[in-house]
Amino acid sequence: MKSKTKINKQLQRKTNSSLVETVRGAAKNEKWKEVANILSYPRRQRTEVNLDKLSSESKVGEVVIIPGKVLSNGEINKKIKVAAFSFSQKAREKLLSAGCQVLSIEEEIKNNPEAKGVKILK
């Protein structure tokens, strides 16, 4: 796990203001530091998760964090709460039509600062 200093040093090279704010918000709280660590990686190393993997690795009612992008390949048949840095348009539509909650990571940090019941998919 990276230190806050290392994370802040990597943030200086980032140009996406929403990414910088998300990482700063996550790095402030020790429970969310792993998410900040993953988001501070270079873009090519960031996580991309398809809906079929999301469906197979989650349980009904679970809060799943994806520190990267959710893509639309596959189907989802469970009602879960998904927080990710970004979603493809089709993935967002499929999640909403399946009855899932779709949030940004920033919103989830504000709603759940203690990170209770959170599962991080890498």
Side-chain angles (χ1 to χ4, degrees), residues 23-42:
V23 172
R24 284 195 178 135
K28 287 179 185 175
N29 191 332
E30 195 62 37
K31 309 269 189 212
W32 288 96
K33 194 170 179 185
E34 185 179 355
V35 174
N37 181 26
I38 295 168
L39 284 173
S40 67
Y41 290 160

Side-chain angles (χ1 to χ4, degrees), residues 22-68:
T22 302
V23 172
R24 284 195 178 135
K28 287 179 185 175
N29 191 332
E30 195 62 37
K31 309 269 189 212
W32 288 96
K33 194 170 179 185
E34 185 179 355
V35 174
N37 181 26
I38 295 168
L39 284 173
S40 67
Y41 290 160
R43 185 181 314 154
R44 284 177 274 163
Q45 294 178 4
R46 218 170 289 146
T47 308
E48 291 180 346
V49 176
N50 282 307
L51 291 178
D52 54 357
K53 180 177 180 183
L54 187 62
S55 181
S56 67
E57 295 193 18
S58 63
K59 297 175 186 163
V60 175
E62 204 169 37
V63 179
V64 181
I65 305 294
I66 291 113

Side-chain angles (χ1 to χ4, degrees), residues 77-116:
N77 51 11
K78 301 173 186 171
K79 289 189 178 185
I80 57 175
K81 188 175 184 180
V82 182
F85 179 67
S86 65
F87 296 88
S88 73
Q89 187 61 37
K90 278 195 164 191
R92 183 181 295 274
E93 290 169 6
K94 285 182 178 182
L95 286 166
L96 292 173
S97 68
C100 298
Q101 277 188 297
V102 177
L103 300 168
S104 70
I105 293 176
E106 280 183 288
E107 292 171 329
E108 185 59 28
I109 291 171
K110 289 176 187 172
N111 295 340
N112 186 3
E114 295 301 314
K116 290 184 180 175

